[in-house]
Amino acid sequence: MDISFSDKQKAYRAEVRNWLLANLPASWVQGAQWPRLSEDDDQAFLIDWERQLYAAGYSGVAWPEAYGGQGRSLIDDLIVNEEIGRLGAPESINTIGRELVAPIILSVGSEEQKRHYTPRILNIDDVWCQGFSEPNAGSDLASIKTRAVRAGDRWIINGQKIWTSYAHFATHCILLARTNLEASPYRGMSLFVVRMDSPGVDVRPIRHMNGLRHFNEVFFTDVEVSSEMLIGPLDGGWKVAVEVLGFERATTRLYRQARFLEELKALTEHAQAIGRLSDGLKSELGEIASELMILRYHNLRFTSRISGGAKIGDEASFLKLLWSHIHQKIARVGLELLGADFDDDSPIAERFRRIYFTSRGETVYAGSSQIQRNIIAERVLGLPRGGR
Ligand SMILES: Cc1cc2nc3c(=O)[nH]c(=O)nc-3n(C[C@H](O)[C@H](O)[C@H](O)COP(=O)(O)OP(=O)(O)OC[C@H]3O[C@@H](n4cnc5c(N)ncnc54)[C@H](O)[C@@H]3O)c2cc1C
């Protein structure tokens, strides 16, 4: 394992930083507008920004060139992520496509799927959502009820998904459905691509507590998909879904730690400006800063291991648990510091209100903290399985 950066990597970091500084609209620098991702008026701007990023060679950094990527290393990908986070550049509008769907297609998809979908994801020709959770199947994902029934060379899908982020503007959904009622719950499900404009797809919005329209309920009534829309092996969807969740927990948004550090700096500067940088607050900020350093080293360790050919395993849960709880701490300190000003119109209040409300869901999605702890206890530490 090597977690130091070479001179070449340092030069690449400088190149990425300079490009971002030259091209990022000033209003986005340092996260001033983050995370207005899902509001309609931001979509055109975000799509345009991501296309610029792709044209400049800063997305799909570690994907093979044959599939639209840049063919560089995962460490370079991490560097780009860190620089994006440091400057508070917009989060991807296609985070599900880029961070979950493309990696899983590159891992288990057919050659045709790789060639078709991955460049389209990078160029934001297709925007994806993730149809896993259902009203009675969240933590217990193996209980999904959505069914796909074979009809000749097609599949007919019926069921309901919930909490489906970005479904209101997604063009495609990566959908987990039950394909075999005879098999055990873990062996009888499969992963499909569903076009969101297919007849029978009905998207109903749910507004977030942070005020944004972000996730949705999605109903599927006799939705037809062709056999080519199956991703990975038939009835082998559980393993594939677990791999998707591994990407979601470990490698998505590696820019987080860099962005969180900027948020912490903004809090510190604000506390100083209003004369409230007490010893108690300093020690709390210092503690969070050290946790962010730990997170960074875990990110580096993970990236290094995966670069060496290791699979993302159950240890991804460490990263998920760590970043989501650190972010909630930052949000809590922001809330306490702003006090009665938390609700006013100042940019700092607006920024920390968003961080506070957004961070609540971060210990829930991609598997709740309790589920991450169960995974760490049982599968990483080998402790006895708890009662369910
Ligand atoms: C912001 C946000 C975005 C999301 N986006 C998507 C998306 O795009 N696509 C998608 O498919 N899903 C999405 N989700 C759904 C998310 O994956 C689920 O909410 C999550 O898996 C928890 O499932 P649940 O809500 O059904 O809660 P439940 O599974 O009902 O859990 C309720 C509580 O019980 C605890 N619990 C459950 N089982 C255990 C256990 N065995 N041991 C200990 N405690 C347990 C949980 O930790 C939780 O505290 C999103 C959620 C959020 C908050």
Side-chain angles (χ1 to χ4, degrees):
M1 186 179 78
D2 180 8
I3 55 172
S4 58
F5 292 101
S6 67
D7 288 344
K8 211 166 148 203
Q9 286 161 345
K10 287 179 192 156
Y12 183 61
R13 183 185 291 280
E15 176 200 312
V16 176
R17 186 173 297 183
N18 290 339
W19 186 88
L20 287 170
L21 282 170
N23 291 280
L24 191 62
S27 60
W28 278 90
V29 173
Q30 302 305 357
Q33 297 204 22
W34 181 87
R36 289 174 54 210
L37 283 183
S38 52
E39 297 299 286
D40 295 342
D41 57 354
D42 286 332
Q43 285 177 27
F45 163 75
L46 290 170
I47 289 172
D48 181 56
W49 164 249
E50 282 197 62
R51 287 187 177 152
Q52 281 184 56
L53 205 61
Y54 181 37
Y58 299 130
S59 63
V61 173
W63 303 0
E65 284 168 285
Y67 308 129
Q70 315 297 337
R72 301 183 71 103
S73 69
L74 269 173
I75 303 289
D76 286 348
D77 190 37
L78 177 92
I79 288 171
V80 172
N81 264 290
E82 286 193 333
E83 290 308 307
I84 284 177
R86 208 179 63 82
L87 287 173
E91 279 200 6
S92 175
I93 200 169
N94 203 10
T95 176
I96 305 277
R98 281 178 46 168
E99 320 288 354
L100 307 186
V101 178
I104 201 64
I105 287 179
L106 290 173
S107 172
V108 300
S110 65
E111 184 60 24
E112 208 182 336
Q113 287 169 342
K114 290 177 194 174
R115 287 192 187 275
H116 177 74
Y117 290 117
T118 50
R120 295 182 62 82
I121 286 172
L122 287 172
N123 200 41
I124 322 290
D125 297 323
D126 300 333
V127 176
W128 288 73
C129 62
Q130 177 192 20
F132 281 21
S133 305
E134 296 184 4
N136 292 309
S139 304
D140 185 13
L141 194 57
S143 313
I144 57 159
K145 295 269 182 298
T146 296
R147 284 206 64 192
V149 177
R150 198 196 286 266
D153 66 345
R154 308 189 75 73
W155 291 88
I156 311 292
I157 297 177
N158 279 285
Q160 183 199 345
K161 298 292 173 179
I162 194 165
W163 318 125
T164 321
S165 306
Y166 316 112
H168 52 298
F169 57 76
T171 56
H172 292 70
C173 178
I174 186 171
L175 179 107
L176 195 59
R178 193 153 294 293
T179 37
N180 186 343
L181 292 182
E182 312 296 314
S184 80
Y186 296 100
R187 298 238 164 101
M189 58 178 97
S190 308
L191 205 60
F192 291 93
V193 175
V194 179
R195 286 190 62 103
M196 294 299 282
D197 60 0
S198 309
V201 176
D202 180 17
V203 179
R204 301 183 196 166
I206 308 171
R207 202 161 268 280
H208 244 222
M209 72 192 288
N210 65 9
L212 298 178
R213 184 181 171 186
H214 173 91
F215 49 29
N216 306 268
E217 291 179 286
V218 188
F219 295 82
F220 299 85
T221 310
D222 294 331
V223 175
E224 277 191 37
V225 298
S226 68
S227 312
E228 294 93 70
M229 305 293 240
L230 180 72
I231 299 182
L234 178 63
D235 292 344
W238 177 253
K239 270 194 167 168
V240 182
V242 167
E243 197 172 339
V244 172
L245 290 171
F247 292 128
E248 193 172 4
R249 289 169 187 159
T251 56
T252 62
R253 311 189 194 170
L254 285 168
Y255 48 77
R256 277 198 184 98
Q257 153 270 324
R259 201 186 64 212
F260 293 175
L261 192 60
E262 294 307 319
E263 292 170 358
L264 201 64
K265 283 184 196 161
L267 264 189
T268 313
E269 280 161 20
H270 183 68
Q272 199 152 25
I274 61 172
R276 291 191 51 201
L277 193 55
S278 62
D279 285 348
L281 183 60
K282 272 190 209 160
S283 104
E284 208 160 9
L285 293 168
E287 193 179 306
I288 300 174
S290 355
E291 287 177 6
L292 281 172
M293 287 301 110
I294 294 169
L295 177 61
R296 181 167 196 240
Y297 282 112
H298 274 302
N299 276 342
L300 291 172
R301 190 176 63 89
F302 243 80
T303 311
S304 170
R305 273 187 47 202
I306 297 162
S307 305
K311 279 258 180 201
I312 297 171
D314 297 325
E315 283 184 57
S317 294
F318 279 129
L319 282 177
K320 167 69 189 7
L321 201 56
L322 200 54
W323 74 251
S324 56
H325 283 268
I326 293 175
H327 206 207
Q328 286 191 353
K329 275 193 198 172
I330 295 174
R332 180 185 48 76
V333 174
L335 173 72
E336 285 168 7
L337 179 69
L338 287 159
D341 299 337
F342 190 68
D343 217 16
D344 73 19
D345 290 336
S346 65
I348 185 101
E350 198 185 325
R351 182 173 178 186
F352 277 88
R353 258 201 317 277
R354 285 197 175 133
I355 291 170
Y356 185 83
F357 288 123
T358 304
S359 69
R360 310 317 298 163
E362 291 174 344
T363 49
V364 177
Y365 66 73
S368 69
S369 295
Q370 287 83 355
I371 295 303
Q372 309 307 331
R373 290 193 187 100
N374 282 350
I375 293 171
I376 293 165
E378 294 167 12
R379 298 197 222 142
V380 180
L381 301 176
L383 296 172
R385 204 174 136 85
R388 293 283 191 274

